[in-house]
Amino acid sequence: MITQKLGSGLTLLLLSTTACWAAPTQEEADGIKGNIQAYIGQEEGAVTVTPAGDGYDISFDAMVYLSKVKEQGFTASFKPFVYHAVPKGDGLWQVDAKNNIDVSFGNPANLTVDIKIPNTSFSGTFSEAITGFLESKTTTGDMTILENIVDVNSGVTTNLAFAIKSVTSDTRAVPAADGTADTSIEMSYQGVTATSSTAAGQGGQPVNLTYAMPAMTYKTATTGISNRKILDVLAWFVAHPTREDMIRDQADLKLKLKAALPVAKNMKGSMAMDALSVTTPMGVVSFDSFGFGADMNGVVKEGRFGENFSFTGLKLPAGIAPPWSEGLVPSNLKLGFEVSGFDAEAPAAMFIDQMDISKPEPVPPGSEGLYMAAFAPKNTINLTIPPGEISAGLYSLTYEGTSTISFAGLPQVNAKFRMTGMEKVIAQLQQAATDPTAQQGMAMLFAAKGIGKADGDAITWDVTMSPEGKLLVNGTDLSSMMGAIAPPPQQ
């Protein structure tokens, strides 16, 4: 992942617009260097471009910038990254690199990081039209990352060590006529292990954890992204290094920020881990699978943001839970949410219009109400809970729901729950009649069963709540049982 980002990040700055080149020349090399410097600054030695064979060698040396860090005790060691770019005509470049990465930085007083990737290669086709890669592939092998973190206030020291046998990364981009592109990234990790050791102060007994998983996959997909307009914003900040420079030309900054919107139409990503295990002082916690996901729109009027989380096959160490809980601890879980019905574009445009970086507060004090009105013009947002599940050996509970959340009163809620195995759960809890936790759980189950509706071998609950405060479960009004759910004050 690190090499993919470094490779793409540097060669993304190849912005020469010469479609067909003759033999490489130093004059053209200087032109490429100038284009790159527009995005990373003019520090001499940070980037060098030299004719080499049928193309150009492009070298980036981060030490030029890191050597300027003034923090006492800070040290860093970065070897330059070198890429070879060959013009193919029609604004296309073949970019290749093979680098042995050996990076270290930090301050022994609070943080040190050491990264080694002895085998890494990059190859891709860069397109000037989208200021990005039409396709690329990165492979790495035998990656190690060592971190030492010291909390200067508490004296707690944490040592982390990561090892990854191999990483492959594939990217794709489909250009559109307007200069944007739809992009995707898929990364595959093999042989991931990690150890963590945390100790409180000198002589403290360390807490050791070990993580392992044979495989992990990371995927992203973005539609309608404009690399050029985003890079234009970056170039503006590089060209305005002082606050005085930024104040003088902030009108131009506003134009570039607006041009970069909506950043992208949609962005989504997911991470899936296979056979994750964590060795703790109490034993091994393991999962058959473990995953995260996110899906969101860009800065558009149809604002939307969602996340999801899931695992299967959770196994806990023996003895960590009381005997009566056997079959009750969730082994599988699937949950998520989505927020929609808000406007991300209007408040962003308002912020850019109002922004005045010459003032201590960039936006006028007391404008919060205006931003809220722009963000939620109907004074509501929508919350959706997609179909989810919590299950264990004795039961399965599924659920889904929707809600219109009002900023002026109570929400409108509609939800459905379905449970199988309730009798088995009650019978299991009855084995621990003297345990207060089990007794409380049993009382709640009896109450839920009483208001539930039989559906074959399952019990279901249809739940609605109105903005007036009325709570219905399977059509029965439970408002009085739940206490006074006060409606919003009358206007």
Side-chain angles (χ1 to χ4, degrees):
M1 179 171 63
I2 294 171
T3 53
Q4 188 270 336
K5 287 183 177 180
L6 288 170
S8 298
L10 176 61
T11 49
L12 190 66
L13 306 177
L14 275 169
L15 299 177
S16 172
T17 57
T18 303
C20 297
W21 288 25
T25 66
Q26 187 59 51
E27 180 182 3
E28 299 292 358
D30 293 341
I32 297 173
K33 177 181 176 180
N35 286 326
I36 295 175
Q37 286 178 321
Y39 299 91
I40 67 170
Q42 302 290 323
E43 295 292 338
E44 191 59 39
V47 60
T48 58
V49 183
T50 56
D54 53 355
Y56 297 86
D57 282 343
I58 304 172
S59 175
F60 177 72
D61 188 356
M63 286 302 299
V64 172
Y65 295 100
L66 292 172
S67 63
K68 297 180 179 295
V69 176
K70 302 301 183 183
E71 179 185 346
Q72 185 176 2
F74 177 82
T75 61
S77 174
F78 276 66
K79 291 182 178 179
F81 295 93
V82 181
Y83 305 87
H84 186 66
V86 178
K88 295 297 185 182
D90 296 327
L92 300 179
W93 296 74
Q94 175 62 38
V95 181
D96 297 281
K98 287 185 178 295
N99 288 293
N100 291 328
I101 297 174
D102 191 345
V103 171
S104 63
F105 60 91
N107 187 329
N110 51 50
L111 170 68
T112 58
V113 179
D114 185 79
I115 303 170
K116 288 182 171 58
I117 313 175
N119 304 300
T120 177
S121 65
F122 174 86
S123 181
T125 302
F126 181 86
S127 168
E128 295 173 7
I130 65 170
T131 322
F133 284 89
L134 296 176
E135 52 79 26
S136 73
K137 186 177 186 68
T138 305
T139 62
T140 70
D142 300 320
M143 177 189 299
T144 60
I145 304 174
L146 303 178
E147 295 184 32
N148 176 265
I149 305 168
V150 180
D151 188 314
V152 294
N153 295 317
S154 65
V156 173
T157 300
T158 301
N159 290 293
L160 303 171
F162 301 87
I164 305 174
K165 187 65 177 175
S166 67
V167 183
T168 60
S169 172
D170 290 280
T171 74
R172 294 288 184 273
V174 179
D178 61 357
T180 65
D182 297 344
T183 66
S184 64
I185 301 173
E186 181 168 347
M187 303 181 71
S188 177
Y189 299 74
Q190 303 294 321
V192 181
T193 60
T195 60
S196 169
S197 179
T198 302
Q202 291 290 335
Q205 187 66 28
V207 177
N208 299 317
L209 300 173
T210 301
Y211 307 82
M213 59 184 141
M216 180 174 72
T217 302
Y218 171 74
K219 297 180 180 180
T220 66
T222 303
T223 60
I225 188 169
S226 176
N227 291 328
R228 175 62 69 103
K229 292 178 180 179
I230 295 171
L231 285 171
D232 283 348
V233 175
L234 172 62
W236 188 93
F237 281 102
V238 170
H240 297 77
T242 69
R243 186 168 183 269
E244 290 72 20
D245 292 334
M246 291 189 284
I247 291 172
R248 183 185 66 248
D249 289 342
Q250 67 173 313
D252 186 48
L253 172 61
K254 292 183 178 185
L255 292 175
K256 293 189 182 302
L257 288 172
K258 283 190 172 182
L261 298 179
V263 182
K265 294 178 181 177
N266 177 264
M267 297 164 280
K268 63 177 62 176
S270 64
M271 179 180 290
M273 293 173 271
D274 295 338
L276 171 64
S277 67
V278 183
T279 302
T280 75
M282 295 177 290
V284 178
V285 179
S286 65
F287 301 85
D288 291 342
S289 67
F290 200 94
F292 300 92
D295 188 348
M296 64 182 293
N297 286 347
V299 186
V300 298
K301 287 194 173 297
E302 300 76 25
R304 185 173 63 86
F305 174 78
E307 288 188 352
N308 60 76
F309 165 75
S310 65
F311 63 74
T312 63
L314 169 62
K315 298 179 182 64
L316 298 177
I320 196 172
W324 58 263
S325 68
E326 184 178 355
L328 301 180
V329 178
S331 56
N332 304 295
L333 181 143
K334 178 183 178 183
L335 60 85
F337 72 89
E338 181 181 287
V339 180
S340 61
F342 60 90
D343 185 342
E345 179 185 75
M350 183 184 299
F351 176 84
I352 294 171
D353 287 336
Q354 290 188 331
M355 178 181 68
D356 186 349
I357 55 181
S358 69
K359 298 179 178 179
E361 297 184 61
V363 296
S367 58
E368 294 83 359
L370 296 175
Y371 280 94
M372 180 57 71
F375 175 77
K378 297 181 180 179
N379 213 24
T380 61
I381 59 172
N382 302 322
L383 173 66
T384 300
I385 305 297
E389 180 179 9
I390 302 173
S391 63
L394 297 179
Y395 68 91
S396 173
L397 174 66
T398 59
Y399 53 88
E400 59 184 301
T402 59
S403 176
T404 301
I405 300 173
S406 171
F407 294 107
L410 295 175
Q412 171 72 49
V413 178
N414 295 277
K416 294 182 178 181
F417 300 86
R418 187 176 190 275
M419 182 177 183
T420 59
M422 176 172 280
E423 295 297 337
K424 294 179 181 179
V425 174
I426 293 175
Q428 184 77 354
L429 290 174
Q430 286 174 333
Q431 297 180 23
T434 60
D435 189 300
T437 302
Q439 289 179 354
Q440 185 179 20
M442 196 158 50
M444 294 174 62
L445 285 173
F446 276 125
K449 181 180 178 181
I451 60 176
K453 179 180 178 181
D455 180 15
D457 63 345
I459 297 177
T460 63
W461 300 267
D462 285 348
V463 180
T464 63
M465 189 174 79
S466 70
E468 294 73 34
K470 179 174 286 189
L471 176 66
L472 301 177
V473 180
N474 292 330
T476 301
D477 190 345
L478 299 182
S479 303
S480 59
M481 295 175 58
M482 300 300 293
I485 304 178
Q490 297 298 316
Q491 300 295 324

